[in-house]
Amino acid sequence: AALGFLYDPAVEARVSDVKNQLLVNSAYNFLVAKPVVGDSLLALSKKHLKTDVLIKHLLVGHRGSTLRAPPSRSKEEAFKLILSIKDSLVVGARDFEDVAKAYSDDPAGKSSGGDIGWLLWGRTPMSFQGPVWNLKIDSFSEIIETPHGFHLVLMLDRRASEYVNYDYS
C-alpha cells in the first residue's frame, strides 16, 4: 500500500494481462480477420454489432432448400407463395402470426407464429442479416433468399446490444 495502487504486484499483473489481451486482439483483427472478411464486411459488422433486432420471420422452403424435411413445392412455387403472403400482409388482410403458423416451413417459427425474439448480429447468414438490419420498425423486408428458402421478416424493434459501448475503431 505504501507504493500506491498502480505498483501493487497484483494490480500490475492484471494490467499487464489486459494489455496483452488487447495486443493479441488487435493483432488478430489486423492479421487474420481483416484479410479474411475484408474491409467492407468488417465495417458492416462493427456498425451492426451494437444493435439487436426484434423480428418476426416466415420461411417458405422448396424441394431444393437445405431444410431437414424440405417441402415438395418447386422453387418457383415457393417464390409465388411468399409473394402472395407478403401482399396479403402488406395490405393488412392477414395477421403475421396466423400466416406464420399456417405457412412457415420453419418449425420454430410455425409454433411461435414467427416470433424469433431478439436477434444478435452474426447469428444468421449475411444474406439474411444484411437486409434485416436495414429495416425500419414496423416494416416488412423484401423477399430474402437463403439456402433454406425464401424469408419474409417483420421488424418490430431495436435495442442496444451488449457491445454498444465497445470501441471498434
Side-chain angles (χ1 to χ4, degrees), residues 26-136:
S26 181
Y28 176 84
N29 285 339
F30 184 73
L31 298 171
V32 178
K34 191 173 181 180
V36 170
V37 300
D39 289 338
S40 62
L41 184 57
L42 193 58
L44 190 63
S45 293
K46 286 178 180 180
K47 174 185 174 189
H48 292 309
L49 189 63
K50 295 181 177 195
T51 306
D52 298 337
V53 295
L54 182 63
I55 62 172
K56 288 192 177 203
H57 161 264
L58 184 137
L59 168 66
V60 175
H62 50 81
R63 64 178 161 257
S65 62
T66 58
L67 296 171
R68 282 191 188 165
S72 61
R73 71 176 74 89
S74 71
K75 188 173 182 178
E76 294 76 23
E77 291 169 328
F79 188 74
K80 286 179 183 176
L81 175 58
I82 200 156
L83 274 178
S84 69
I85 290 169
K86 182 180 180 186
D87 289 344
S88 70
L89 289 169
V90 168
V91 297
R94 312 246 350 237
D95 177 66
F96 197 100
E97 186 174 329
D98 294 338
V99 172
K101 286 179 178 179
Y103 294 103
S104 186
D105 290 319
D106 175 5
K110 185 181 265 306
S111 64
S112 71
D115 188 11
I116 288 183
W118 289 102
L119 186 62
L120 289 64
W121 180 263
R123 302 292 171 103
T124 61
M126 183 56 73
S127 58
F128 181 83
Q129 69 187 10
V132 169
W133 259 255
N134 290 318
L135 289 174
K136 293 180 178 164

